[in-house]
Structures are given as C-alpha cells and as structure tokens.
Amino acid sequence: MQVTYATTDIPLQARRQYWQEVVSSTYYSLDLRFFGGQDFHGTLGAWSLGPVSMSRQASNGLLYKRHERHLLNERNECFLITVPELAEIRFEQDGRDVRCKPGAFLIERSHLPYEFSHQDPAALWVLKIPSAVLRARISRPERLATLQIDASRSVGALFVDTLRLAGDRIGEMDETARAMIGKHLIELLAMAIESDDRVLTGHSSSVRNGHLLRCEHFIRTRLDDMRLTPQMIADGCGISLRYLHQIFEGEGMTVCAYIRNQRLSMCDALLRDPNCRKSISEIAYQWGFADQAQFSRNYRSRFGRTPSEARATSRASNS
C-alpha cells in the first residue's frame, strides 16, 4: 500500500493541523512545534513492506515531541531508523542528545519520550520496524536507541542506497515483493549495526562480547533445528559449555531462554505477516517448537496474548 500527503492544496491556516494529523497517523502520536511563519510546506510518502513501513518526508523546520502521555495507550513498541538527506537533525532521548548529519542514520525507540527537531528545511527517509520484528534479527535492540551508524561507506551505505532505490521502484511491486524488500532492508540494517564496534560493548569485555555475537549468530542460523542445544552451540563456536553459560549469564539471561525468545520472535513475525498462510502449528514447528501447547503458553507469557489473538489482530489491522 502507498499513501502520499502534501500541504500544497491545504489552506495556509490549516496546514499545521493537517501535518500534525499526517505525522501521527504515519508514525505514532506526537506533539509538533513549527519553526517560522504560517507558510509551512511539507510532503510525505509512505509504503508498506510487509510488517515494516517506509516513508520519505520533506518539510520546513519542526520540533517533534513524544511525551509520557503519548505512550499510555500504545501497546506495540517499534523502532524508527531515520536517514537525513538534507540538513542536520537533533535527537534527544533517555538523557542523550545527538546530532545526525547526512551521511549517517539514527535509531529511535518509540516507547520512551523524546525530542526530534531540525531548524532548517529537511528531507528524511524513515524505516519503521516493530520491536518484535527487529528482535528476531538483533538481540536487545533497546541498546541501539540514539545510536548513529555511518552511512558513507560499506554496509551502512548499502542499506541507505537500497532504501532510496526501493522508494523509486516500490510502486511497481506486488505485496509479496514489497514484503521481501522489507526483509532485505532489515537484514542490511542488522549487518550495518553488527559491524559497529559500539554494539559489541555490553556488560563484559570486548573479547567476551565478540564470543557472544558469534554465539548469537550461530543460534539464529539454526533456530529451526529442534536438536539445537547449548553443547552444540559451544562446540560450533569453539568454546567450553561452561564459558557459553557464563557469556549469557553476563547479559542477564540463560542460553535456553535466548533460544526460546528468538524462536518466539520469529513465530511472532510470521503471525503478524499478512502474506503468511501457514497454520499456527506449522509456524511453531518451523521454528523449533514440537509441542504446540507449550508454544502457546510461552508465546502468551512473552507477548501477553495467544498466537491466534495476535494473528487476528494483525489481519484486522491490514484488512
């Protein structure tokens, strides 16, 4: 699905309220403060890429504020990947104040208050990713809030280039192709993030975090294998079983809990995917759950609703 908004045909006195409604419906509830006079100009195009949404907006200077009251009725957390094309942007969240210029991109978290602004006219690409979808690829994504990633070279640049190219071609694609593009963008984003040394900085040494990243990758590539065990992971990563448990305990979790949560996240992503026609039992089995009753209990404990309720909610929102 594609939607386009522009202030061109909106009366001057109504443009600010119009833009407030456009932004809130595209992303989530925010308060806006407009810099400059009444002659505000803004355009925004948005596309659905399966569970991911992509947008490009251009406007005069603005301040966006997300307050605690905006979070009260919001259930599903998401992350915004913001790519400035024109002008520097400022972002403040969780006590961190950062500036991001073209040539980099910024990661924002929806479930914490924040301020986002640009004094000068700006153009931005924004990728909105549900937390559950991102967690299926990157563990503990809350670490990433306010993180800037270099987009001038390597995988970061490829991610941004793909985002822009997708915007040019997405109107020519069917729903299945758009969903696949969304998955490719998430994979490129994850690769760009994982190549940044700051992401490896956790609660332990850089060596231990290097082992942690390798173990997480090993697990993600074998989630569909019901035989996956801590011993298999330790052997595959060339470390002792005891050290494997120590690595994950240093991050506040057990190895088995990490495996289970990753599998649940993959199942959740499929349950939310309007193109997925597999039954709930097929989804559970695909991602390593042999017992559907146990899967349903674990899913409800993790996400606060049953798999069938999650699927029904997703289909209703996409109908």
Side-chain angles (χ1 to χ4, degrees):
M1 183 179 72
Q2 177 179 350
V3 290
T4 304
Y5 306 96
T7 59
T8 309
D9 297 324
I10 306 298
L12 286 178
Q13 66 274 18
R15 287 185 179 181
R16 294 186 175 190
Q17 181 59 36
Y18 173 77
W19 197 250
Q20 169 83 56
E21 294 170 358
V22 165
V23 168
S24 295
S25 64
T26 302
Y27 305 112
Y28 37 62
S29 298
L30 294 159
D31 285 346
L32 274 62
R33 176 186 164 197
F34 296 81
F35 302 139
Q38 289 289 332
D39 190 18
F40 173 79
H41 296 278
T43 61
L44 189 150
W47 303 265
S48 295
L49 307 175
V52 176
S53 63
M54 178 178 73
S55 59
R56 185 184 188 278
Q57 60 163 292
S59 72
N60 300 128
L62 278 169
L63 169 65
Y64 302 87
K65 280 193 174 185
R66 185 143 166 91
H67 298 283
E68 290 280 0
R69 58 183 167 81
H70 292 132
L71 310 178
L72 295 178
N73 297 318
E74 300 235 2
R75 186 172 181 179
N76 297 318
E77 181 180 18
C78 65
F79 288 81
L80 296 186
I81 317 302
T82 302
V83 183
E85 281 195 317
L86 175 68
E88 178 183 81
I89 57 176
R90 172 183 169 268
F91 184 69
E92 182 179 352
Q93 185 172 62
D94 201 22
R96 299 170 186 155
D97 190 338
V98 297
R99 266 71 171 174
C100 185
K101 296 180 179 179
F105 60 86
L106 180 70
I107 302 174
E108 310 166 24
R109 188 179 178 187
S110 73
H111 268 37
L112 288 177
Y114 68 71
E115 289 189 9
F116 177 98
S117 64
H118 52 88
Q119 290 282 342
D120 299 319
L124 313 166
W125 286 96
V126 181
L127 196 65
K128 181 180 177 183
I129 308 175
S131 175
V133 174
L134 192 58
R135 288 178 194 278
R137 181 57 182 82
I138 301 174
S139 64
R140 305 179 306 285
E142 57 275 0
R143 298 173 297 161
L144 308 178
T146 71
L147 188 67
Q148 291 186 73
I149 302 294
D150 182 13
S152 65
R153 57 181 296 278
S154 190
V155 184
L158 180 60
F159 165 71
V160 173
D161 289 344
T162 304
L163 189 68
R164 291 169 174 156
L165 286 171
D168 291 336
R169 297 296 183 187
I170 201 72
E172 304 167 6
M173 301 179 190
D174 60 20
E175 189 174 357
T176 301
R178 291 198 300 269
M180 185 60 67
I181 290 296
K183 292 178 181 178
H184 287 323
L185 284 169
I186 292 173
E187 188 64 28
L188 286 172
L189 171 66
M191 291 172 62
I193 290 170
E194 289 171 349
S195 67
D196 192 304
D197 290 340
R198 293 169 297 171
V199 178
L200 290 178
T201 305
H203 302 103
S204 325
S205 69
S206 59
V207 173
R208 177 172 288 192
N209 278 290
H211 285 305
L212 174 65
L213 185 65
R214 190 166 66 254
C215 291
E216 289 178 341
H217 177 74
F218 185 93
I219 291 168
R220 283 197 305 269
T221 58
R222 293 163 177 82
L223 283 175
D224 58 348
D225 187 349
M226 293 182 186
R227 300 168 299 170
L228 183 64
T229 62
Q231 186 65 64
M232 182 189 299
I233 299 163
D235 292 344
C237 295
I239 59 177
S240 70
L241 180 61
R242 181 181 179 184
Y243 186 50
L244 173 70
H245 287 301
Q246 288 176 346
I247 290 172
F248 280 86
E249 286 168 3
E251 297 298 314
M253 73 185 79
T254 66
V255 179
C256 291
Y258 178 82
I259 295 171
R260 181 175 62 252
N261 287 338
Q262 287 294 299
R263 284 172 168 165
L264 288 170
S265 293
M266 297 303 293
C267 292
D268 183 64
L270 284 180
L271 290 169
R272 293 170 179 269
D273 186 351
N275 296 313
C276 179
R277 296 293 178 260
K278 293 182 178 180
S279 68
I280 292 175
S281 60
E282 288 174 327
I283 291 173
Y285 187 81
Q286 175 181 342
W287 291 112
F289 291 98
D291 185 332
Q292 187 177 348
Q294 183 185 44
F295 162 68
S296 295
R297 288 194 300 271
N298 288 332
Y299 185 91
R300 184 167 189 170
S301 176
R302 173 81 185 278
F303 297 107
R305 52 187 171 183
T306 65
S308 57
E309 289 170 343
R311 167 162 276 184
T313 300
S314 176
R315 288 180 174 175
S317 63
N318 284 280
S319 61

